[in-house]
Amino acid sequence: MKSNYLCEYQSNLFSLSQQEHEEQIKIIQLFVENGLIKIGTKTYPIVYGDVYFINAGEGYSIVELEEKLVQSTIMISADHVKELAKMLDFESEYYKIFEKKGHFHVASPHYKAIDRRFKEAFSVAAADKPFSKALFVSRVFELLNYAVVALEKRK
């Protein structure tokens, strides 16, 4: 399972090689109050706790920070998530979140609940016990649910 995903919780390490993780989607929550995140051609001002869903192969960078970067990151095989999305009748939402524009941004007034999902995902990923993969993937889909709710509100 370790080769299919990576999970970091509230880390200040930003050592992710774009080429190494090109086939993985990324879900990132940032814990800084300044700077910009550039995803493809779109730039967002960073708001503490916001979440970014980034498609496989989509480039991104974080710039103009005035403080130390702290972020939680999940990377998981895009093919794996697409397969699960098909099984769970989630293909349309997957397309809208990841493939339509290459990314999706969720402003997060409920950032503590989202943070808890990242913490739980990190915990089960680190455990590497039976059923860990299922628990990890369930946390990923709980995070995707925040994007689905945001999609519904934008209609």
Side-chain angles (χ1 to χ4, degrees):
M1 174 168 137
K2 295 262 182 215
S3 62
N4 290 338
Y5 75 92
L6 176 114
C7 185
E8 293 181 1
Y9 178 69
Q10 290 197 3
S11 171
N12 60 5
L13 300 174
F14 190 66
S15 60
L16 306 176
S17 161
Q18 291 292 346
Q19 290 177 338
E20 186 178 327
H21 302 288
E22 194 140 309
E23 300 302 316
Q24 295 182 318
I25 60 170
K26 294 119 188 118
I27 305 172
I28 300 170
Q29 185 177 32
L30 299 174
F31 297 97
V32 292
E33 295 191 25
N34 61 55
L36 301 170
I37 182 168
K38 294 180 179 184
I39 306 170
T41 60
K42 182 78 173 164
T43 301
Y44 301 95
I46 294 173
V47 177
Y48 190 94
D50 280 6
V51 180
Y52 304 87
F53 298 83
I54 304 171
N55 198 20
E58 186 74 37
Y60 72 96
S61 61
I62 298 170
V63 296
E64 298 183 24
L65 288 176
E66 296 172 11
E67 58 188 283
K68 186 164 79 171
L69 175 65
V70 177
Q71 69 183 42
S72 292
T73 306
I74 289 176
M75 292 193 288
I76 187 168
S77 163
D79 290 340
H80 184 64
V81 177
K82 280 183 193 180
E83 187 178 308
L84 289 169
K86 186 175 183 176
M87 281 180 14
L88 300 171
D89 195 25
F90 185 75
E91 291 173 290
S92 173
E93 291 81 0
Y94 180 93
Y95 170 79
K96 291 174 188 173
I97 295 167
F98 291 106
E99 295 178 346
K100 186 174 182 181
K101 293 191 259 179
H103 64 279
F104 192 77
H105 167 242
V106 176
S108 184
H110 306 291
Y111 71 89
K112 288 182 182 180
I114 291 172
D115 176 59
R116 191 167 36 254
R117 300 302 175 270
F118 273 100
K119 187 175 185 178
E120 291 167 353
F122 179 76
S123 176
V124 296
D128 201 24
K129 294 181 180 180
F131 215 61
S132 292
K133 186 173 187 174
L135 291 171
F136 177 79
V137 170
S138 73
R139 297 314 179 265
V140 170
F141 274 88
E142 287 175 1
L143 289 166
L144 287 169
N145 186 55
Y146 287 97
V148 171
V149 169
L151 282 169
E152 292 297 314
K153 287 181 180 179
R154 294 178 187 178
K155 283 185 178 181

